[in-house]
Amino acid sequence: MSTQRGTGPRRVTVADLREMKRRGEKIAALTAYDYLFARLVDAAGVDVVLVGDSLGQVVLGLDTTIPVTLDDMIHHARAVRRGVERGLLVVDLPFLTYQVSRQDALRNAGRVLQETGASAVKLEGGSPEIAETVATLVGAGIPVMGHLGFTPQSVHVTGVRVQGKGEEAAERMLADARRLEAAGAFSIVLELVPGALARRVSENVDIPTIGIGAGAGCDGQVLVLHDMLGLNPGFAPRFLRRFAEVGQAASEGVGDFVKSVKDGGYPGAEHTFE
Ligand code: KIV
């Protein structure tokens, strides 16, 4: 029985994502950090809206995700929630909000669900300790998305590079994915992973994988909204396709505004009250 009330579209659930994998329908996921973009992304039919801790770089101007706080995530996720009617809303647990203890993780993930209205959280890593944390959260009724491959919260250990190269590293990632699945994760993001390995992982777990820089063998794809819209023109990794050049259009529009104000072209009579 659905517990959903109201007249809006039915929200995507974690069960829907699993069913999409079963029938071979690809999952489309994008990040969002504010109300207007969330509304746009949701209306376009994205299945998963992720409030990523990439918030640090693309919204807050930080170098890494590491300084992002739980309060930052909650503040932005509350705005995103207001714009999302259909997509499954997932919120990243930022650095040190789930690694210190399972109790801490439960309290912090619980805050995210209670204070934002999100349906799930995402956390990074696939070690036995992380898997225990996943099991604790899932046991308390909090759906968890995992994240393997390049995990940005460990950037100072790994650098930004493709992960899982070589058979030993590939086996480790496969074991991590199986561990997350056994712990109850409903999906796994695979970031910067060789295409053949991402396909292998995807074929070896029943939960959907969502790739970013991991090739076409994943069950879905996710991109950072600002990157795929061309809002961040300096960022051009090999895996990224820009689906629009919004940054260019925005620069031109702002430049035109400045010029029009300076030369008196704006406002005209049609913009002026009688
Ligand atoms: O923080 C983020 O935006 C992410 C995606 C890149 C998956 O984790």
Side-chain angles (χ1 to χ4, degrees), residues 31 33 50 52-55 65 92 122 147 189 191 212 222 224:
T31 65
Y33 315 94
L50 171 67
D53 59 359
S54 50
L55 167 75
T65 60
D92 262 340
K122 176 166 81 59
H147 186 151
V189 166
E191 180 164 1
I212 172 165
V222 61
V224 169

Side-chain angles (χ1 to χ4, degrees), residues 155-176:
V155 65
H156 294 312
V157 174
T158 61
V160 181
R161 62 169 59 90
V162 174
Q163 301 291 310
K165 285 188 167 176
E167 191 47 31
E168 209 176 296
E171 285 295 338
R172 265 202 310 275
M173 197 178 298
L174 202 49
D176 286 355

Side-chain angles (χ1 to χ4, degrees), residues 35 38-39 75-85 89 116:
Y35 167 71
R39 208 172 62 170
H75 176 74
H76 285 269
R78 284 165 67 100
V80 169
R81 166 82 289 162
R82 296 181 198 118
V84 174
E85 289 190 5
L89 182 60
T116 73

Side-chain angles (χ1 to χ4, degrees), residues 102-142:
R102 276 181 275 154
Q103 286 80 358
D104 235 32
L106 185 52
R107 208 163 283 119
N108 291 329
R111 267 194 72 193
V112 169
L113 260 59
Q114 281 191 316
E115 295 180 30
T116 73
S119 300
V121 296
K122 176 166 81 59
L123 50 75
E124 298 182 2
S127 66
E129 294 76 22
I130 290 290
E132 279 187 24
T133 298
V134 170
T136 299
L137 300 188
V138 174
I142 301 173

Side-chain angles (χ1 to χ4, degrees), residues 29-33 41 48-52 54 58 222-226:
L30 283 174
T31 65
Y33 315 94
V41 158
V48 177
V49 180
L50 171 67
V51 186
S54 50
V58 301
V222 61
L223 286 174
V224 169
L225 183 69
H226 293 47

Side-chain angles (χ1 to χ4, degrees), residues 25-97:
E25 180 181 342
K26 295 282 187 184
I27 296 163
L30 283 174
T31 65
Y33 315 94
D34 64 25
Y35 167 71
L36 278 181
F37 271 128
R39 208 172 62 170
L40 186 150
V41 158
D42 193 55
V46 157
D47 303 302
V48 177
V49 180
L50 171 67
V51 186
D53 59 359
S54 50
L55 167 75
Q57 290 102 318
V58 301
V59 176
L60 302 179
L62 300 167
D63 287 338
T64 71
T65 60
I66 289 167
V68 175
T69 66
L70 190 64
D71 286 340
D72 290 334
M73 296 305 298
I74 288 174
H75 176 74
H76 285 269
R78 284 165 67 100
V80 169
R81 166 82 289 162
R82 296 181 198 118
V84 174
E85 289 190 5
R86 175 186 168 274
L88 179 79
L89 182 60
V90 182
V91 177
D92 262 340
L93 290 181
F95 184 58
L96 282 198
T97 62

